[in-house]
Amino acid sequence: MDAPATLPGGPTPTTAFDGRPGRLDRLGRAIRDLRISVTDRCNFRCPYCMPKEVFGRDFEFLPHDQVLTYEEIHRLAAVFVGLGVRKLRITGGEPLVRRNLPDLVAMLAELRTPDGAPTDLTLTTNGSALRALARPLADAGLQRITVSLDSLDDATFRRMNGVDFPVARVLDGIAAAREAGLAPIKINVVVKRGENEASILPLARWARAEGLILRFIEYMDVGNANGWRLDDVVPAAEIIETIGAEMPLQPAEAGYRGEVAERWRYVDGNDANEIGVIASVTRPFCGDCTRARLSAEGKLYTCLFSAVGHDLRGPLRAGAADADLADLIGTVWAGRDDRYSELRAASTNHLPRIEMFALGG
Ligand code: SAM
């Protein structure tokens, strides 16, 4: 494929590590993934993300008029795709609490990359409303889905979601996703010391039997509300060891450069049986980070641990043309040198950070 003579956001064509044109940042990383937060609201209060003591009844979420409309999200997403983005992930907050989400999915599913390919479109949810929404989302063009589920044990799950939500309803939501043909289904598990280590093995056995892809996430120091301590992190190596002791594992090749999870396969399984660990604390992967984040209020964040976002809603609502928006985004990306997780140390712990639910996990 020939690189175009110019790319939006600057005059110089650039070729990224995957051989495709795309804007590169100061560390040579292309822009390939966009996480779109459609709301800062969530019906769960997981203590590691939105502790209810901080995000109680009085907490003021974004007023309606400050949240991007679906038309605005679609327009920005199209500009990002023009700059090299290949994968769109809808997230939040809890994306399924936003009204008429299938309408947005239908709009995003129509986007094509400059070489005519559909984008990889997916969504991350807590699964609580999937029974009602899985089919409409699939019909609108959603291809696959990730469901967050920290335990199969009802008491542990109810405690970890902060609102006493029963695990059976999320399991039913996962069944609905399967019935609707969403595939593959991935399951995100945050492991927190003293909370759900005992859930690791039951989740692994279950996901293997059900043909679901498990992703264990190290508990991260996102935001400033969760009172994160390094002692609460269960390292990815320990998770792999726990599972491997019962069901031997071997490392699998990364699917593509920039993939967040380290993947493992069961030695006596078939290729579909894999698990992954996202070791952003113990083995940071900033060098391969190709992700941008668009918050519900239209700010561009170039790192999960950013303190500052770049406003896109203002220029958008002031009438900026697509080329102007592409210039703006391309310039922000070209100046990007974030590598927070690699620099993480006690000295970074006091720094202000935006909460994960606000900028899109
Ligand atoms: N509400 C949706 C959900 O539950 O998946 C999407 C947003 S949520 C912020 C996205 C993911 O971030 C979830 O899998 C959640 O478990 C994870 N997450 C939130 N806070 C985290 C933390 N401190 N460390 C690691 N993962 C976290």
Side-chain angles (χ1 to χ4, degrees), residues 48-49 91-94 124-126 148 188 190 220 222 226 356:
Y48 56 73
C49 187
T91 178
E94 169 49 41
T124 301
T125 172
N126 63 27
S148 303
N188 271 358
V190 175
M220 290 184 285
V222 279
N226 61 12
M356 189 152 173

Side-chain angles (χ1 to χ4, degrees), residues 3-15:
T6 59
L7 275 169
T12 328
T14 47
T15 304

